[in-house]
Each structure stands twice: as C-alpha cells, then as structure tokens.
Amino acid sequence: MSDGSASRAAAVRAVAGVIGRGQSLETALADPNVDPADRAFVQALAFGALRFGHRLKLVVGQLATRKWDALTPELQALLLVGLYQLEYAETAEHAAVSATVEAARRVGEARAAGFVNACLRRFQREREALLAVADASVGGRTSHPAWIVDALEQDWHDQAERVLAANNAHPPLTLRANLARTTTEALAAELAEAGHETHAVPFAPAALDLGRPTDVRALQAFVEGRCSVQDAAAQLAVPLLDARPGMRVLDACAAPGGKTGHLLESVPGLAEVVALDVDPLRAGRIRDNLARLGLAANVVVGDALDPTAGGPGLFDRILLDAPCSGTGVIRRHPDIKWLRRPRDVSTLADRQKRLLAVLWERLAPGGRLVYATCSILRAENRAVVRAFLAATPEAAEVTESASLAVAGLPPLPAARGPGLTLLPGVAGTDGFYYACLERRQH
Ligand SMILES: C[S@@+](CC[C@H](N)C(=O)[O-])C[C@H]1O[C@@H](n2cnc3c(N)ncnc32)[C@H](O)[C@@H]1O
C-alpha cells in the first residue's frame, strides 16, 4: 500500500523546479512518472505550497539555523510542502508529517529527513507563536514577496489588501461557450446533464463559471469544441475590439489562441484574421485550439516588432495582448510570486511600448487597436498608454465609450485612466487591463 510519500515527493520536485530552477509550475508539474491517480493531489500540494509559501518561508526562517538561501531547493520545497499540509490542507497531520519525511529520502535529501521531521513537529507544537512572527508584515500575512506588496500599495492604495487576499483565493473555472456551435444556455443544459452546476457571468454573455473544478478534458462539450476555458475578464477583449464582418484583424500576440478563437466564434464573416506569435511551439497551440473549435485563421510565426510580420496591408482591428508580468492572474499562477523579479516590470514595459508603437503603424485610419495585459501594475498599463498617447496625436483613447457598449460591465473607476482595470476579486474575475485606441481619420 502507498505511504503517500510518492505524491509528496512529486509535489516537492515541482516546487523545487519553480523556486530553485525558475521553471514555470506548468512545466515543473509535467512529470510523466507521476501516477495519474495522484495527479490532482500533487497539483493541489504544489499550488498550495507556492501560494502560501512566502508566509511559510518566514516560519522556516524561525525553525532552521541556516538561512533560507543556504538550504537546497529540495529542502526548501520539503519544508514548504510539509508546512502547507499542516496549516492549510485537510490531510491528517500525522500522515502529512510521516509522508513528507519519507519524501525527503525520495528526493535525495535522506540526510535531512530528521531535520524535516523536527521542523514539522516543532511547528505542530509552536504554531501560533511561529505564525504570529510571520504575520507581522503584510507580505508575510498575505504571502507575497515584499516588492509585489509595495507595487500594489503604490498603485492601488486602500484596494491593495483586497487584491492581495484575492490572489490567494481559488479561482473559478470559467468556460466560454463557442457561439458558432452552441448557445450559452444550451451549454449550461449540457453541463447540467453531465452533473456540473454553472453560473452565468453578468458582463460576459458566453461565460459560465463551473461550481466545482473539473478536468475539462473529460467534458464532451470541451473535446467536441463547444467550449473553451477562459476567464471572464479575458472575454472582454473581443467586445472591446468591436470587429465587424468584412474587416481584417491582426491578433498580434495570439498564442495559445484564446482570444483568436473567441473572435472567430463571435464575429462571422471577417475578411481575414492573422494570428501572430513569436513562439513556434505556442503558435502550434493556436492551431490545435482552433481545430478543436472548428475555426480557421491565418496562423503565422513571427515577431510583432517586425512591421512586416503577418504580411502586408493595414488592419481594421488590432489586438495587442502583450506579454506582461501576469500580476493580475496570480490566483491561477502562484508561481508568478516566485518567478517574477522587480526589474522585470520595467523590461516588460519597454517591450510593451515598442510593440504598441510598431503595431500602431499597421492600423488603418478609423481603425481600433486594443491594448491588453493581464497585469494590474500601472507601469505596464496606464503609463504605457499615456506615453503612447503623448507621442501620437492621431490616436484617440475610446475605452470609456467602448466599455459602455459592453452590457453589464461594472463602471470604470473614475480618474484612473486611460484604460480600464479589472482588479482580481472585485468582479470575481482575474485582473486585466484594457485600453481602446482609435486612429483618427485625418
Ligand atoms: C499574454 S500571451 C497571449 C495570450 C493570447 N492572446 C490568448 O488570449 O490566448 C502573450 C503572447 O505574446 C507572445 N509574444 C511575446 N513577444 C512577442 C512578439 N514580439 N511578437 C509576437 N508575439 C509575442 C508570447 O509568445 C505569448 O504567447
């Protein structure tokens, strides 16, 4: 019979991959040796340990005589996975301790097994005092690195705490009905028949939140292309783009094709959709996703900074869903807390500015470009768009009127523009930023 140490060891390897080797959690979890029956548990342990790891790391600081950085990534991960189970998971505590200690042997840390055992047992005895010390700072209490706390407090003042809390919540699994093949109501009925309760989302007519998380690959509606997975905030890109039949559209950073698919499902009769991405592997995922949905676009591998990528001619609509810090989607990707560095933000902002400037030149007079990120940092959003507007007299910012056309959208926070920011947890969505920019005719 399994002693549970194999699943703990798999979670420890994944967490060590993120915190020690800079891998994304998705990559770190893709271990073919994990027993399929254990996958969901391994995933829950790794997500939880990373989500609450900045708080637990402050506990480790009190338990270990060596500094955090002097511990191997495996030992760091063993302690985070062990403490996570004791403080947050529903696992029986004695099983959590013994399986994690046993996991130390499986991940090459046999010599540290006694130390792991001692740390976890001391936490059981002195939990309150140890956590009180960790919780003395906002970063500890909300389990975020200090630089993210500082950046959110600077940008969002009294809303920062709410965002920090939302970043640790379990996100809903939101589906998007493929309106070219079904209706939202018919999809809800199909899912109900399969035993899944769903909830509509006020401003995203094709969206359905699933009451309980599930593996979508097991849903017939997903396999047969009647739905995709997409947060409701991301489902705003297409209505804000407002493409019409006959138009040429460039989706400039398109992979894995979530918004390309939504566009093609919602607006039949477009003249052309070019789905561009610089990453060939990710561009392959656009093709796969469109094939599953029964849709077609001109998928091109190329650099959006190259003004000829995707072919000649101007576009009536351009979507720039720019590479960003992902600070709006931390609840889905807790590895962002560990992988992002403060200096990344200015590097990303420079790239975002360059992408916006180059793509603007490809927009037809009277056309609209939507600049989007899943960041909630002003340096990547408002500051990028402000600098662009200051340098581009022929650009008009039309986010407010564009968003008024989206039924049910909560009102824009006044005086925070240009652009529209959805904060995580406020409307139940991921954090997202949109700015709609039109090229004046003359
Ligand atoms: C936020 S993701 C796009 C998500 C996508 N729009 C969706 O809804 O599924 C950003 C994408 O930009 C791509 N990218 C980054 N730099 C790029 C560039 N210079 N040219 C084209 N694509 C780029 C990345 O490979 C990544 O796939």
Side-chain angles (χ1 to χ4, degrees), residues 99-412:
T100 307
V101 170
E102 197 48 41
R105 299 181 220 287
R106 289 180 179 261
V107 300
E109 290 287 346
R111 285 198 316 176
F115 170 67
V116 172
N117 186 44
C119 286
L120 297 182
R121 290 192 187 283
R122 190 174 148 206
F123 178 76
Q124 288 180 295
R125 289 193 307 273
E126 298 175 29
R127 179 184 313 240
E128 261 180 47
L130 293 164
L131 287 173
V133 172
D135 291 349
S137 65
V138 180
R141 185 158 39 82
T142 64
S143 199
H144 281 75
W147 76 270
I148 294 187
V149 174
D150 292 346
L152 291 177
E153 285 179 346
Q154 186 185 316
D155 284 0
W156 296 104
H157 314 288
D158 51 351
Q159 299 197 71
E161 281 259 350
R162 190 172 176 185
V163 172
L164 291 163
N167 286 349
N168 293 335
H170 284 272
L173 173 60
T174 307
L175 300 179
R176 184 191 75 234
N178 176 355
L179 298 183
R181 287 193 165 175
T182 185
T183 62
T184 314
E185 294 71 26
L187 178 66
E190 180 181 352
L191 293 168
E193 194 129 313
H196 298 281
E197 189 195 342
T198 58
H199 308 279
V201 180
F203 56 84
L208 288 173
D209 278 345
L210 246 66
R212 255 183 308 111
T214 189
D215 181 356
V216 286
R217 290 164 303 182
L219 293 178
Q220 209 164 354
F222 180 83
V223 174
E224 294 173 4
R226 288 187 292 285
C227 64
S228 300
V229 175
Q230 191 176 47
D231 186 79
Q235 296 190 36
L236 284 173
V238 166
L240 291 174
L241 198 61
D242 189 29
R244 316 273 172 85
M247 286 185 167
R248 288 192 81 212
V249 183
L250 173 61
D251 187 354
C253 291
K259 298 181 188 70
T260 319
H262 190 198
L263 172 69
L264 290 160
E265 288 164 4
S266 331
V267 191
L270 291 166
E272 187 186 10
V273 174
V274 177
L276 180 67
D277 204 278
V278 74
D279 181 333
L281 279 179
R282 286 176 62 85
R285 291 179 60 194
I286 310 178
R287 294 194 187 92
D288 295 345
N289 278 323
L290 295 183
R292 184 179 57 79
L293 295 166
L295 303 166
N298 180 7
V299 179
V300 177
V301 177
D303 186 344
L305 288 170
D306 168 1
T308 64
L314 297 177
F315 293 89
D316 306 293
R317 294 287 185 266
I318 296 178
L319 174 61
L320 168 50
D321 189 13
C324 71
S325 63
T327 40
V329 292
I330 286 176
R331 61 183 193 160
R332 294 191 191 278
H333 302 284
D335 49 338
I336 288 172
K337 290 177 177 176
W338 298 88
L339 299 176
R340 284 284 171 225
R341 298 283 176 261
R343 63 176 177 278
D344 296 343
V345 176
S346 56
T347 308
L348 285 160
D350 284 345
R351 182 159 8 135
Q352 290 153 351
K353 284 178 187 153
R354 282 189 288 134
L355 283 164
L356 183 50
V358 170
L359 288 163
W360 179 256
E361 297 306 323
R362 312 192 68 184
L363 186 66
R368 180 181 292 184
L369 182 152
V370 172
Y371 174 80
T373 71
C374 58
S375 164
I376 51 168
L377 300 182
R378 290 193 172 156
E380 298 177 79
N381 295 335
R382 189 170 86 167
V384 170
V385 173
R386 275 201 177 155
F388 167 78
L389 288 169
T392 319
E394 71 276 19
E397 202 255 325
V398 298
T399 316
E400 187 163 7
S401 58
S403 61
L404 286 175
V406 180
L409 189 62
L412 301 185

Side-chain angles (χ1 to χ4, degrees), residues 1-14 16 21 31 33-35 38 42 72 74-75 77-78 97-114 116:
M1 209 186 94
S2 152
D3 62 0
S5 62
S7 52
R8 270 70 172 195
V12 166
R13 283 190 205 97
R21 282 178 281 286
D31 176 353
N33 299 318
V34 175
D35 182 339
D38 282 346
V42 171
T72 63
E74 280 69 22
L75 190 45
L78 277 161
V97 173
S98 61
T100 307
V101 170
E102 197 48 41
R105 299 181 220 287
R106 289 180 179 261
V107 300
E109 290 287 346
R111 285 198 316 176
V116 172

